Amino acid sequence: MNTTQNREIVVVSDLAQLALEATHRFVQIAKEVIAEKGKFVVALSGGTTPIAMNKLLSSTFKDQVEWDKVYIFWGDERFVPATDPDSSYLAAHESLLKNVPIPESQIFRFPTELSSPEETVSAYAKTLVDVIGGPVPEFDLILLGMGPDGHTASLFPGFETVKSQNLTEAVYDAPKPPPTRLTVTPVVINNADRVMFLVTGADKSPMVGRVLNASNTVREVPAEYIKPTHGKLIWLVDEKAAAEIKRS
Ligand code: 6PG
């Protein structure tokens, strides 16, 4: 484990161990925050890596979270119906939400039934402020994945989205299908009390090395823009993805 002032890097053997570590942390953070504030406001990630954690949270560890005090959001979404196989909401519903007693009124997906991506992200930004607070909502935990190109949420290299001062943005022609997406920006992510990346696989090791090795000070890929202003940054990576992290 490698910890600097607000960044912790945890290397585990494989996806199964990463899911277990992520689940332990989710449970622990939820307990602490609910004890302190009475509710736990978390943004889930899309992609496949978090699914194993979701399944543990909704089975073995189900009784360790006060789900009626949990408020669920997403860091990003695909601009598809909530019933579409590509929907990150649907993936979370099937692997977690349908199996735990979270009140429907505490689940806030991107309203992709609206007529345009712009309308959807504008509505979601309003929901973030109305439910969590503003001018910039402060999540207790934001979960993120990362692609081999250094994208995170739906912030992709070469897109101006990562520099937006808005809370949310629509993304067109994203290199990871489906192409039309919705995302929170680093303005929101970096205001969180905790940001936790879940990253596995050898294909991501060059980018993990680039993002985490202190020598790289130039910010070019979106994952390099994720630097919480006051909160904690946690990287959970498996050994394959961690292969190029320099041991400082
Ligand atoms: C998505 C996510 C995306 C994902 C990464 C990693 O919509 O797919 O927002 O940022 O987290 O691409 O995906 P995997 O976990 O499947 O590798």
Side-chain angles (χ1 to χ4, degrees), residues 45-50 76-78 88 144-147 151-154 156 176 181 198 200 204:
S45 166
T48 57
T49 306
D76 70 319
E77 184 54 279
R78 295 86 180 276
S88 295
L144 293 174
M146 187 188 75
H151 81 257
T152 187
S154 284
F156 291 91
K176 178 178 181 182
R181 289 165 166 260
L198 310 182
T200 62
K204 299 180 182 181

Side-chain angles (χ1 to χ4, degrees), residues 90-111:
L90 183 64
H93 180 265
E94 291 305 299
S95 62
L96 172 61
L97 302 177
K98 72 178 185 182
N99 299 319
V100 293
I102 296 183
E104 274 299 317
S105 62
Q106 292 172 205
I107 298 173
F108 303 89
R109 62 178 177 80
F110 280 85

Side-chain angles (χ1 to χ4, degrees), residues 8-169:
E8 183 183 8
I9 301 170
V10 180
V11 181
V12 295
S13 53
D14 55 21
L15 174 58
Q17 286 306 309
L18 183 131
L20 200 54
E21 179 69 23
T23 301
H24 282 309
R25 286 172 180 258
F26 186 106
V27 166
Q28 184 54 37
I29 293 166
K31 277 189 179 124
E32 285 169 13
V33 172
I34 289 169
E36 181 195 340
K37 298 160 68 174
K39 67 179 183 181
F40 176 48
V41 179
V42 54
L44 302 181
S45 166
T48 57
T49 306
I51 299 301
M53 175 194 72
N54 290 354
K55 288 179 177 174
L56 285 175
L57 283 170
S58 57
S59 58
T60 315
F61 293 80
K62 176 176 179 177
D63 298 336
Q64 296 196 31
V65 177
E66 290 183 84
W67 294 105
D68 62 328
K69 297 186 174 68
V70 177
Y71 290 68
I72 296 275
F73 296 80
W74 277 261
D76 70 319
E77 184 54 279
R78 295 86 180 276
F79 189 63
V80 297
T83 53
D84 187 294
D86 275 336
S87 165
S88 295
Y89 160 79
L90 183 64
H93 180 265
E94 291 305 299
S95 62
L96 172 61
L97 302 177
K98 72 178 185 182
N99 299 319
V100 293
I102 296 183
E104 274 299 317
S105 62
Q106 292 172 205
I107 298 173
F108 303 89
R109 62 178 177 80
F110 280 85
T112 55
E113 64 278 10
L114 296 181
S115 61
S116 72
E118 283 77 10
E119 205 174 335
T120 299
V121 294
S122 174
Y124 204 63
K126 184 177 185 313
T127 298
L128 290 174
V129 173
D130 290 349
V131 176
I132 307 172
V136 181
E138 184 173 328
F139 278 92
D140 297 311
L141 174 63
I142 294 183
L143 293 162
L144 293 174
M146 187 188 75
D149 63 352
H151 81 257
T152 187
S154 284
L155 303 164
F156 291 91
F159 287 64
E160 286 305 301
T161 322
V162 76
K163 295 173 185 161
S164 167
Q165 292 309 300
N166 296 326
L167 301 181
T168 58
E169 289 284 358

